Amino acid sequence: MKSLSSCIPTILKNMWPSGRGRIFFDDYRYNPADGQLIINIRAQRLEKQYFSSNVIRLKYMTIKPAVITEAEAADIFCAYTIPHLSAQDVAIDVYGAINQEQRDFWTAYCEKLFIGSLSKPDIRWLSRNRRESTALTMPHGRSKTALLFGGGVESLAALSDFLTQKPLLLSLVGPLWMNNDYEKSNLKYDLENRLSAEFDIEVARVWHNIKEVVKMPDEYTNKYITGGLMYYPFMPIVRERHCGKIYHSMELEYMQVDEQYDRSIHPRFSHHVARPPLPSLEAVMTEYSKIQLLEKLYRNNPRLCSYLYSCLNNTSLRWCGKCGKCKRLSAFCETIGIEKSLIGMQEGISHEPEEGALTKLYWQSLDTYKSRSNGLTS
């Protein structure tokens, strides 16, 4: 008969099979006075360092929620960690206060996210100390709308349609985050503040540190992580502001690229991001090309054009004149007949077409527009 001590290694091996990493959601804190949320990622048994930092940091800059529920913090934790580890083919055991609805959702979400991919999510949910978070309930009578807002052509065109509804604008910023890094330039910050003041529209600005936690190229982040990041950090504000629906604006060119491109925010996939009963996330404007959206924006409300900011280089200059976005918008303005001074853009920007999977489509749309339209005279 085997002794108990000789059985312990076998028992432990069955409890924690080799090759499975463990992450724990059991340490978060929120300070409503300064709007800072800290979530620690406690990881064990990972084969390598998948997180450059084990601290998720968010700062609610303009609207500080009175409270962030445990369920809301758990969704943010999952958005940062689960898709990333799944993309790295890590078999994960997840411990902590995560309720059954959340477990079912994040498992199904990753299965959908990785359809057509070589990665196959392997997630087990193990409630440590049998403690689970309470399910997040949204208030009844949700009537206000919200709009993901980056300050570019698509989001401003959508705002021009929804302006009378005064949607809550959701603005995500952070270090090395697209062209929304205020540590490099606060020009976009100032434009948003002026827009908010002129049109009496509230901007919910949230700072986050995904690029400190997961140091991967934008192509990787957008494919697996960005969808959740552009949604779940705003849930405490959306709950307190009684928003029932969130829109994000995407152009026709995005619909034309393969669904694997920027998959987590692709218009054909992004509706999967929202976890019921949380507000739905709906893509709008997808029937319009980028140049058509710029014309639509100008026709709907030329004043909104003065707040346009889309330069990729995020410098102290509003338009660097060298990146693809500057070149495209310069060409679009000249073709439509919009004075570039309206958007604060200088003259003399070259118009060399690009050849990327997505970017080449913008120049093709420009050629199509030229063949069918006389710009603002039509």
Side-chain angles (χ1 to χ4, degrees):
M1 183 174 181
K2 293 183 178 180
S3 66
L4 178 60
S5 60
S6 67
C7 293
I8 289 177
T10 302
I11 295 171
L12 292 175
K13 183 177 180 180
N14 291 335
M15 289 176 63
W16 296 307
S18 61
R20 299 192 69 86
R22 292 186 284 173
I23 57 172
F24 298 81
F25 170 68
D26 57 7
D27 183 10
Y28 81 96
R29 56 192 179 276
Y30 173 64
N31 182 353
D34 63 10
Q36 292 201 56
L37 171 66
I38 304 294
I39 306 174
N40 287 310
I41 305 171
R42 192 156 62 86
Q44 297 177 356
R45 298 177 181 265
L46 296 179
E47 293 180 356
K48 63 180 184 179
Q49 193 76 21
Y50 291 104
F51 301 105
S52 300
S53 168
N54 288 329
V55 181
I56 297 170
R57 294 185 295 135
L58 300 179
K59 184 168 184 178
Y60 293 83
M61 300 174 68
T62 53
I63 302 174
K64 297 174 174 56
V67 67
I68 292 179
T69 69
E70 191 170 62
E72 288 166 341
D75 275 327
I76 295 169
F77 173 86
C78 289
Y80 263 76
T81 59
I82 304 299
H84 170 51
L85 290 174
S86 295
Q88 298 295 314
D89 288 319
V90 179
I92 319 164
D93 289 343
V94 186
Y95 293 79
I98 300 172
N99 66 51
Q100 190 62 50
E101 289 83 1
Q102 290 173 305
R103 299 176 190 184
D104 292 344
F105 169 79
W106 285 104
T107 298
Y109 175 76
C110 283
E111 288 172 353
K112 295 169 187 170
L113 184 64
F114 291 98
I115 288 176
S117 168
L118 295 178
S119 299
K120 302 298 178 186
D122 184 356
I123 309 165
R124 295 195 317 186
W125 304 89
L126 303 171
S127 183
R128 194 163 179 259
N129 298 329
R130 299 185 180 278
R131 175 169 164 264
E132 295 185 8
S133 63
T134 55
L136 172 63
T137 56
M138 300 297 289
H140 295 292
R142 293 179 279 160
S143 58
K144 191 173 181 63
T145 59
L147 174 66
L148 293 178
F149 190 76
V153 173
E154 311 92 86
S155 54
L156 279 169
L159 178 59
S160 73
D161 269 1
F162 299 144
L163 199 55
T164 57
Q165 301 178 37
K166 294 193 177 298
L168 176 66
L169 302 185
L170 309 179
S171 176
L172 193 65
V173 304
L176 301 178
W177 182 247
M178 301 184 186
N179 61 347
N180 294 280
D181 186 348
Y182 292 158
E183 293 176 4
K184 293 175 66 176
S185 171
N186 62 3
L187 199 155
K188 191 171 184 179
Y189 178 92
D190 294 336
L191 287 170
E192 280 184 358
N193 287 345
R194 285 164 43 204
L195 169 71
S196 173
E198 179 176 352
F199 292 95
D200 189 27
I201 294 176
E202 201 169 25
V203 178
R205 189 175 296 119
V206 177
W207 182 98
H208 73 118
N209 72 328
I210 186 60
K211 289 296 188 176
E212 295 175 348
V213 176
V214 179
K215 290 188 176 179
M216 299 292 277
D218 286 348
E219 292 81 0
Y220 176 94
T221 309
N222 288 343
K223 188 170 185 177
Y224 301 117
I225 306 174
T226 299
L229 291 184
M230 295 180 77
Y231 182 85
Y232 288 98
F234 292 107
M235 283 305 102
I237 299 172
V238 164
R239 169 176 49 79
E240 291 190 358
R241 290 298 191 270
H242 294 249
C243 296
K245 189 172 291 187
I246 300 174
Y247 295 104
H248 74 114
S249 181
M250 302 291 278
E251 65 271 28
L252 175 64
E253 289 85 354
Y254 247 104
M255 294 293 287
Q256 294 174 315
V257 294
D258 183 82
E259 205 169 315
Q260 291 297 325
Y261 187 94
D262 284 3
R263 182 168 175 77
S264 73
I265 53 173
H266 194 284
R268 289 195 292 272
F269 179 85
S270 57
H271 63 280
H272 293 303
V273 167
R275 177 175 65 81
L278 302 180
S280 61
L281 179 63
E282 299 182 17
V284 294
M285 303 289 166
T286 55
E287 69 271 30
Y288 298 99
S289 67
K290 179 86 82 170
I291 189 170
Q292 288 174 325
L293 284 173
L294 181 57
E295 181 182 356
K296 178 182 177 66
L297 167 62
Y298 183 84
R299 290 183 183 275
N300 279 359
N301 195 318
R303 286 160 55 207
L304 282 174
C305 290
S306 63
Y307 298 104
L308 181 61
Y309 180 92
S310 198
C311 176
L312 285 173
N313 284 332
N314 196 199
T315 67
S316 58
L317 297 174
R318 184 168 175 181
W319 306 101
C320 73
K322 298 177 181 179
C323 72
K325 286 198 172 186
C326 286
K327 293 175 180 179
R328 278 174 248 148
L329 283 173
S330 174
F332 292 171
C333 284
E334 289 183 13
T335 301
I336 297 170
I338 298 173
E339 291 290 335
K340 282 188 272 187
S341 59
L342 179 62
I343 64 171
M345 178 177 277
Q346 65 272 28
E347 299 290 342
I349 297 175
S350 63
H351 299 163
E352 298 100 339
E354 301 154 277
E355 294 299 328
L358 174 62
T359 55
K360 67 180 180 182
L361 298 177
Y362 297 122
W363 297 95
Q364 292 172 8
S365 295
L366 173 61
D367 291 338
T368 301
Y369 182 93
K370 287 178 178 178
S371 69
R372 294 179 180 176
S373 171
N374 293 318
L376 294 177
T377 61
S378 62

